[in-house]
Amino acid sequence: MSSRLAVFFVAIVIATATTGTIDSHAAEKDSDGYLPLFNGKDLTGWETTGTWVVEDDGVLALKPKPGKRGIFSYRLFLWTKWTFRDFKLDFEFKLAEGGDSSVFLRSQSLGGFIEIELTDSYGKQGPLTTDDCGAVQKVSPPSKNMAKPAGEWNRMVIACKGNLLQVELNGEQVIDLDYDELGKSVPASGKIGLQDWGHPVWFRNIRIKKL
């Protein structure tokens, strides 16, 4: 093996180990430098034992199993096959009235993950909590309520870099955290997951790029 080829091979191994690898269905970046994480056709690149389906319009939908909800349905969540370290995740989601779900980041186990809330909190009056849309569960409420009404599409952009976390909801930044300043630790890398909390939820245009 030539020295140039050896360097190339090592670089590929390092990139795979630290940032995750997306297979050939998502081989081309878009004009913003993102790779599609969901291809709009099937669940290639994802794994679950739950009832996640791709609808005719290319939307990813959860059809919850009766009586199955909460953390006990962890295996029913939809998980990426790859792990990711520093990234920006951009996607759209839609909830039914009273809907509840979450996005899990850098997940390694039930004891290690970052959880961003996706909840029907449109029009809520009074102080926001860590259960409201855009919140970091058990860490920080969103700075403002940017959730759209149930049945409408929301767009969320999440940036994870080291111990820094930012969340943008419908064009407004609602989370800006430095976990070091909070004296908290977060996993350095892990899988991305979409939660089955027993409520219907829909996703589309899920894409990701390395930071």
Side-chain angles (χ1 to χ4, degrees):
M1 180 183 295
S2 69
S3 59
R4 181 178 297 179
L5 184 58
V7 170
F8 176 78
F9 178 77
V10 170
I12 291 296
V13 171
I14 291 173
T16 301
T18 60
T19 64
T21 299
I22 298 178
D23 64 13
S24 58
H25 84 276
E28 296 185 5
K29 294 180 181 179
D30 63 20
S31 59
D32 296 324
Y34 284 87
L35 289 169
L37 199 54
F38 165 58
N39 65 15
K41 300 176 182 178
D42 54 41
L43 297 182
T44 299
W46 297 83
E47 50 194 6
T48 184
T49 61
T51 49
W52 295 83
V53 299
V54 181
E55 297 181 333
D56 291 340
D57 55 0
V59 171
L60 173 63
L62 169 65
K63 309 292 185 181
K65 293 181 179 180
K68 296 286 188 180
R69 63 176 300 173
I71 203 66
F72 300 106
S73 301
Y74 195 73
R75 288 183 298 177
L76 303 182
F77 295 5
L78 186 64
W79 296 103
T80 58
K81 290 184 177 179
W82 315 287
T83 61
F84 300 91
R85 183 180 295 271
D86 294 333
F87 58 86
K88 184 173 282 189
L89 179 68
D90 184 349
F91 63 95
E92 293 177 88
F93 68 95
K94 182 171 64 174
L95 301 164
E97 186 173 354
D100 192 349
S101 185
S102 290
V103 176
F104 285 70
L105 312 171
R106 294 180 177 170
S107 181
Q108 299 182 358
S109 69
L110 283 174
F113 51 76
I114 300 169
E115 180 182 357
I116 310 298
E117 286 288 334
L118 310 178
T119 51
D120 177 24
S121 53
Y122 172 77
K124 177 181 177 180
Q125 302 297 316
L128 299 176
T129 72
T130 60
D131 291 321
D132 288 312
C133 196
V136 184
Q137 179 59 240
K138 298 182 180 179
V139 176
S140 177
S143 60
K144 58 188 76 173
N145 189 351
M146 294 302 301
K148 291 185 178 182
E152 294 189 15
W153 286 103
N154 297 268
R155 182 181 178 187
M156 181 173 283
V157 181
I158 303 170
C160 275
K161 189 169 185 180
N163 287 335
L164 303 178
L165 174 68
Q166 294 181 328
V167 178
E168 179 183 296
L169 179 59
N170 295 321
E172 293 286 339
Q173 184 170 292
V174 296
I175 293 291
D176 187 6
L177 290 181
D178 183 339
Y179 279 87
D180 287 337
E181 293 181 355
L182 298 177
K184 296 180 178 292
S185 61
V186 292
S189 64
K191 295 186 175 185
I192 293 171
L194 306 179
Q195 185 187 49
D196 178 347
W197 198 252
H199 298 262
V201 60
W202 297 263
F203 294 89
R204 69 182 183 186
N205 299 326
I206 309 173
R207 58 186 192 151
I208 193 167
K209 71 177 176 180
K210 178 184 175 182
L211 293 179

